[in-house]
Amino acid sequence: MTDLAPIAAAYGAEARSREKRSQATQMVELAEPVELVVDRHEGVYAAYDVGGHREVRAVASCSFKRWLINEFYWMEGKAPSQQAVAAAVNTIAAKGHHTGPKVDVFHRIGKLGDTVYLDLCDSDWRAIEVTRHGWRSVERPPVYFRRARGMEPLPSPQLGGTCDLLADFLNVNSYDDFKLATAWLVGSLNPTGPYPILVLGGEQGSAKSTTARSLRSLVDPNSSPLRTVPRDERDLMIAANNGWILSFDNLGRLPAWLSDALCRIATGGGFATRELYSDKDEVLFDAMRPIVLNSIGDPIERDDLRDRALFITLPPIHDSDRRDERGYWRDFHQAQPQILGALLDAVSCALSHREETSLPFCPRLADFAIWVSAAEPSLDWPSGSFLAAYRDNRQGAIEAAVEDSLIARHVIEIAKEHRTWSGTATELLADLNERADEQMQRSRGWPKSPRQLGGDLRRLAASLRRVGVDVAFEKEKTARRRRLITITRRESSETAVQTVQKPGRTVLDGLDINLQKT
């Protein structure tokens, strides 16, 4: 007969030993099987198994704390104190910081070598693995994905779809506009960027918000898909840190700080701010994200942001053609798996052909243009058709920038009259003031000082150059060493400036620009 006394004694000794250890120590021991990793901003993440799948959570997150509390309760049959949980989390974070490997922790889209991963954000933590040979679902992706509040799951993609199915859900004027919207989606699945800013314009009732929501839902569905303009750059970077696609609804004119910040997010940039309750430590935000803006008018004033944008103007919808919301979203969610599968086919095609794809010219965001051009065979687009649509769209944006600028039209007049004009910013402002009426001079966009004029011209220089007017800034080579602005009308084989007189208008390098005072 077995003597149970030694077993009971051992169990009692173990129980007394557990009682002597603090709750915090016991929770740290419970986390021993957890894999701890550190991201590039020194944030510590825990990867652990739950219900047969692996989850990745920030150690400081509420999700990881809840998991730790649950494990302790099932082990000890009681709840730990808040102080013990805080001490355990701090200890686990310290261990991870000093012993965990440095890895990339991704949000929705990730990569490992030449392989792209898309987090489906479902309860099983599955991802789609995309290679140059195709795509498949994986139960345990080899990369680490983090999840933020509000992220919603994507449907399981299906084979055999086509991106043309998306045409039933986009209100666009032309097939070129449809190509640009599809290209923006394909570009948003590139984990390395950069990403053009998609600007949806159109009058009230042209389905701008629905279009923006639909496009985001295909790649990064969220419980709050459309946002208002953030209060400051910190709020903007927090939104970029917690979502893959940023979508802002019903915008007016963008303030200068937001325009500059969106430029940095589209092509990559960071933001640092003081850590809460700290005088010296900084919190770093670093993100490159696809962006959607929608507005009745053109919300962009600065050329640097305009140069990073795709502009699609949605036509008005007649009442007889309008669809009810319920039916629209029912049909959309039914087609979504096949559209997503077709987008993944395009990503696989881009991975396969990217290295061998070259462009006849390199536009702004050349990497985006190469990525989409490499995907054209999968999209059944003729070779070069996307680049042609992209070029025309950019040319239209340049035309709009010149037409919208109060000073550009007068600078073009000066170039036309003088061929080459040179002088200081003060002299140029005086010349411009003579050409403008009092109402224009009082308007918000008119420069009030030589310094402001110089800044405005620097931002317009790229657009003016594309219509055959060069603006140069240099110091005078005489003893006076004045800072000069030189405006030159350029005629060359590359860009010829041709002037055709019309009543009250002029055509400059193919652009119809209104020169009348307003």
Side-chain angles (χ1 to χ4, degrees):
M1 188 173 180
T2 304
D3 186 3
L4 298 178
I7 298 176
Y11 178 80
E14 182 182 351
R16 288 190 297 273
S17 175
R18 287 203 307 270
E19 290 176 359
K20 292 179 181 179
R21 298 197 307 276
S22 68
Q23 291 182 341
T25 300
Q26 293 179 60
M27 281 188 284
V28 171
E29 292 174 353
L30 285 172
E32 285 294 336
V34 170
E35 180 186 5
L36 299 175
V37 297
V38 184
D39 72 358
R40 58 179 173 169
H41 294 313
E42 298 189 350
V44 182
Y45 290 81
Y48 51 94
D49 288 337
V50 178
H53 63 268
R54 186 188 70 175
E55 297 188 7
V56 180
R57 306 285 190 183
V59 168
S61 68
C62 293
S63 297
F64 180 73
K65 291 177 184 178
R66 286 194 291 265
W67 175 84
L68 198 59
I69 292 170
N70 182 68
E71 293 293 304
F72 180 86
Y73 178 81
W74 285 108
M75 178 66 69
E76 298 297 327
K78 60 182 179 182
S81 66
Q82 292 184 357
Q83 293 83 355
V85 174
V89 167
N90 289 336
T91 302
I92 294 168
K95 287 179 62 179
H97 180 77
H98 287 91
T99 63
K102 292 288 183 72
V103 301
D104 288 320
V105 179
F106 299 104
H107 186 89
R108 186 67 85 170
I109 307 286
K111 74 181 189 74
L112 183 63
D114 291 333
T115 302
V116 175
Y117 291 91
L118 171 65
D119 184 10
L120 290 179
C121 237
D122 62 4
S123 58
D124 292 327
W125 284 68
R126 294 179 303 147
I128 300 298
E129 180 182 79
V130 189
T131 70
R132 62 179 58 234
H133 306 295
W135 52 267
R136 66 188 182 100
S137 174
V138 291
E139 301 291 335
R140 200 179 186 92
V143 296
Y144 299 88
F145 281 112
R146 62 181 176 86
R147 293 182 178 178
R149 186 174 300 172
M151 293 179 68
E152 293 190 342
L154 283 164
S156 295
Q158 295 178 5
L159 291 167
T162 171
C163 285
D164 287 344
L165 292 172
L166 182 59
D168 291 336
F169 306 98
L170 297 184
N171 176 39
V172 293
N173 270 316
S174 66
Y175 193 56
D176 275 355
D177 283 349
F178 173 75
K179 283 183 180 178
L180 293 175
T182 305
W184 181 85
L185 282 170
V186 174
S188 71
L189 289 166
N190 179 0
T192 58
Y195 308 103
I197 298 168
L198 182 62
V199 182
L200 302 175
E203 65 183 56
Q204 182 180 354
S206 56
K208 298 183 299 296
S209 297
T210 301
T211 300
R213 183 180 171 189
S214 301
L215 292 173
R216 178 170 186 177
S217 295
L218 286 167
V219 175
D220 182 37
N222 193 282
S223 60
S224 180
L226 305 178
R227 311 286 179 90
T228 58
V229 173
R231 293 177 300 176
D232 52 35
E233 190 169 358
R234 186 178 189 276
D235 285 351
L236 176 65
M237 293 306 296
I238 289 174
N241 192 57
N242 291 322
W244 180 249
I245 291 177
L246 300 179
S247 185
F248 298 112
D249 196 32
N250 291 326
L251 299 180
R253 288 283 182 173
L254 297 182
W257 72 265
L258 182 56
S259 180
D260 293 341
L262 292 176
C263 284
R264 289 194 295 274
I265 292 177
T267 53
F271 173 77
T273 185
R274 182 178 63 83
E275 186 173 10
L276 199 61
Y277 309 122
S278 171
D279 293 327
K280 297 181 180 179
D281 294 334
E282 285 186 329
V283 175
L284 300 177
F285 299 98
D286 185 12
M288 191 189 307
R289 296 286 187 263
I291 300 169
V292 186
L293 310 177
N294 82 67
S295 175
I296 291 178
D298 183 356
I300 297 178
E301 290 184 336
R302 292 182 172 242
D303 276 9
D304 50 355
L305 183 61
R306 186 182 299 274
D307 208 28
R308 293 168 167 86
L310 296 173
F311 293 87
I312 298 178
T313 301
L314 308 186
I317 302 176
H318 193 274
D319 288 345
S320 61
D321 297 326
R322 197 173 298 279
R323 302 163 69 178
D324 65 281
E325 286 272 330
R326 182 178 178 182
Y328 175 91
W329 289 112
R330 181 192 64 239
D331 296 341
F332 176 84
H333 290 307
Q334 183 176 353
Q336 188 178 5
Q338 286 189 310
I339 297 174
L340 179 57
L343 291 172
L344 295 174
D345 289 338
V347 172
S348 177
C349 185
L351 291 172
S352 180
H353 296 96
R354 178 172 50 180
E355 297 301 323
E356 64 196 49
T357 299
S358 60
L359 305 179
F361 64 93
C362 279
R364 188 67 180 268
L365 305 180
D367 291 320
F368 161 74
I370 291 172
W371 176 264
V372 178
S373 296
E376 280 184 325
S378 174
L379 297 167
D380 291 330
W381 296 346
S383 178
S385 63
F386 158 71
L387 194 61
Y390 186 33
R391 180 194 57 209
D392 291 345
N393 192 265
R394 285 167 50 79
Q395 185 69 14
I398 294 166
E399 180 178 348
V402 173
E403 289 183 348
D404 289 347
S405 170
L406 297 179
I407 65 172
R409 63 192 71 175
H410 297 301
V411 170
I412 292 171
E413 278 185 347
I414 291 172
K416 182 181 104 173
E417 293 171 5
H418 298 279
R419 179 61 181 253
T420 297
W421 182 97
S422 185
T424 65
T426 301
E427 293 168 344
L428 179 58
L429 182 59
D431 191 334
L432 294 174
N433 284 335
E434 289 182 1
R435 297 170 184 269
D437 57 26
E438 292 184 3
Q439 181 180 356
M440 181 177 290
Q441 292 181 41
R442 289 195 301 268
S443 63
R444 184 173 63 91
W446 190 260
K448 303 302 188 294
S449 68
R451 181 176 181 180
Q452 183 183 351
L453 173 61
D456 291 345
L457 281 177
R458 282 183 170 87
R459 283 187 286 272
L460 280 168
S463 295
L464 289 170
R465 187 179 307 115
R466 292 186 186 125
V467 297
V469 176
D470 287 335
V471 180
F473 301 84
E474 56 190 0
K475 284 189 178 181
E476 195 173 18
K477 295 181 180 179
T478 66
R480 299 175 66 182
R481 301 290 290 172
R482 296 181 304 167
R483 295 181 178 178
L484 299 180
I485 298 174
T486 301
I487 300 171
T488 306
R489 188 181 72 177
R490 174 163 41 88
E491 290 187 80
S492 66
S493 58
E494 178 183 356
T495 304
V497 180
Q498 300 176 352
T499 303
V500 180
Q501 292 293 341
K502 292 183 179 181
R505 303 180 71 85
T506 182
V507 175
L508 183 63
D509 190 32
L511 295 184
D512 194 10
I513 301 168
N514 188 359
L515 296 181
Q516 293 179 337
K517 294 180 181 180
T518 57

